Amino acid sequence: MCEISIIVPVYNVEKYLKKCVDSILNQTFKDFELILVDDGSPDNSGMICDEYAEQDSRVRVIHKENGGLSDARNAGIDVAKGKYIGFVDSDDYIAEDMYELLYRNIIKEDADLSICGIYDVYPGKTLKKKELFYKVLDSIETMILIFHGNNISVHAVNKLYRSHLFSSIRYPLGKYHEDSFIIVDIIDLCNKIVIDSTQSYYYYHRVGSINTEKFSERQFDFIEAWTKNEKKVIGRNNELDIAAHQRVCFAYFLVLDKIIKSNSENNIAETKKIVSFLRRNYFFIIRNSIFTVQRKVSMSLLMFSVKMYKLVTTLKTS
């Protein structure tokens, strides 16, 4: 048994895969297995995985029919031997000491989950540094920060999990934003979470990825996930209730913005439902400190018309 199982779903990423895998194999922390899950890649990604397995005994390769990101992660979880589990996406890369940092903190604090910071990497743009902090929290405190979305991301990556957290949890098949669907379930099983905001994970936003693409019907999964999460936690704690509802409102904003950016607002029946939901929550949004001034101004304009909201949204992203 090794200390850490690092799971990397691989699909059609031959351009990025070597940088990703090299950043893992060059970690200062050495006691790990790397599970590369070739999810039926049509390019040379599967062959590249096999080459790494021949070169390094820590590398294991699973070749499977294409089933999507969740299915690939689940396949990795099913065979993982480590006491801890980590995930890296195959078009991203990590700092050479990321797993040393995560492992040191989870051992030091006897935590169930260790989290580090993320760099958002956009082609041609400078990396933005964020404020450093170190926190040891319980599950409720962590959920509040997750729902706020400012200091901790919901991503499966940039985290180190005790393997028992996945004894009965798997990623949902066929869903976008799959991380969002299980994050509350994961944190619910944790007694203690340690967060070191040192940015050690490089999250690459490539054209065509979930976070950079324009609107598709599957974006409604984002609303579904956070609506379900709110139902899971409602009534536990007043601050948590507020944070959960704020995240649901944010989900509606995100989907509306995607619709508007693709000029589809007049062609999608759900647009009216989204606008209606946000308008019903106008005072909640205006009074909530997590929403930015710009977002509140946009919300005020949405009370008058979608066209006025679209004008501000278009200017913001131009």
Side-chain angles (χ1 to χ4, degrees), residues 22-295:
D22 287 345
S23 74
I24 297 171
L25 295 179
N26 292 327
Q27 287 292 290
T28 54
F29 184 91
K30 302 298 184 183
D31 188 8
F32 65 84
E33 63 172 353
L34 173 56
I35 303 172
L36 300 175
V37 185
D38 171 26
D39 192 34
S41 295
D43 63 359
N44 293 317
S45 295
M47 182 180 68
I48 294 171
C49 291
D50 289 336
E51 290 174 354
Y52 274 107
E54 292 176 3
Q55 298 166 9
D56 195 313
S57 61
R58 294 173 297 176
V59 179
R60 301 166 61 194
V61 180
I62 297 173
H63 295 286
K64 58 181 288 297
E65 292 184 3
N66 179 249
L69 178 59
S70 289
D71 194 45
R73 281 186 185 156
N74 292 342
I77 293 169
D78 289 343
V79 301
K81 298 177 181 177
K83 298 177 185 176
Y84 303 90
I85 290 177
F87 300 98
V88 178
D89 286 345
S90 53
D91 48 0
D92 299 335
Y93 54 99
I94 60 178
E96 65 178 9
D97 62 346
M98 187 185 89
Y99 278 106
E100 182 179 349
L101 178 149
L102 291 170
Y103 182 81
R104 180 179 66 242
N105 290 343
I106 205 169
I107 295 297
K108 173 186 174 184
E109 306 296 348
D110 190 25
D112 298 296
L113 176 63
S114 180
I115 304 173
C116 70
I118 288 180
Y119 276 117
D120 286 300
V121 181
Y122 294 92
K125 292 188 178 181
T126 304
L127 297 176
K128 290 185 178 180
K129 290 191 174 182
K130 298 180 180 179
E131 180 183 355
L132 289 175
F133 64 88
Y134 185 93
K135 297 177 183 289
V136 180
L137 306 174
D138 62 23
S139 60
I140 295 293
E141 293 167 327
T142 303
M143 283 185 200
I144 290 171
L145 289 184
I146 287 284
F147 281 122
H148 284 169
N150 293 333
N151 294 315
I152 311 177
S153 74
V154 70
H155 301 109
V157 298
N158 83 306
K159 296 175 176 65
L160 185 63
Y161 312 76
R162 285 192 185 272
S163 59
H164 74 81
L165 297 177
F166 289 98
S167 294
S168 60
I169 293 176
R170 291 294 185 271
Y171 287 93
L173 302 184
K175 295 291 186 183
Y176 263 19
H177 307 284
E178 66 290 324
D179 306 340
S180 305
F181 280 88
I182 71 164
I183 189 63
V184 168
D185 301 320
I186 289 287
I187 295 174
D188 250 342
L189 296 174
C190 297
N191 292 315
K192 191 186 295 183
I193 299 95
V194 56
I195 305 164
D196 183 331
S197 70
T198 301
Q199 289 164 278
S200 300
Y201 190 96
Y202 292 80
Y203 194 100
Y204 187 67
H205 296 258
R206 60 189 172 108
V207 175
S209 69
I210 290 174
N211 290 301
T212 58
E213 69 177 354
K214 291 190 176 181
F215 179 76
S216 76
E217 293 286 333
R218 295 175 69 184
Q219 291 290 348
F220 291 121
D221 288 355
F222 196 64
I223 292 176
E224 179 189 349
W226 291 105
T227 300
K228 286 183 174 179
N229 285 335
E230 182 181 29
K231 291 178 180 178
K232 290 174 184 177
V233 304
I234 199 74
R236 298 190 193 183
N237 173 289
N238 184 60
E239 187 179 0
L240 180 58
D241 288 351
I242 294 171
H245 194 63
Q246 168 261 319
R247 191 58 180 251
V248 173
C249 291
F250 176 77
Y252 275 83
F253 275 127
L254 182 145
V255 176
L256 179 60
D257 289 351
K258 293 279 188 182
I259 291 172
I260 284 177
K261 288 174 191 174
S262 63
N263 294 310
S264 304
E265 64 271 15
N266 295 322
N267 303 320
I268 297 175
E270 287 84 354
T271 302
K272 288 184 178 180
K273 295 178 182 178
I274 293 172
V275 171
S276 177
F277 174 89
L278 290 170
R279 285 174 174 169
R280 291 197 307 272
N281 284 276
Y282 174 75
F283 289 108
F284 174 85
I285 293 165
I286 293 300
R287 292 168 182 163
N288 191 288
S289 61
I290 298 298
F291 289 109
T292 64
V293 171
Q294 188 173 36
R295 180 62 75 184

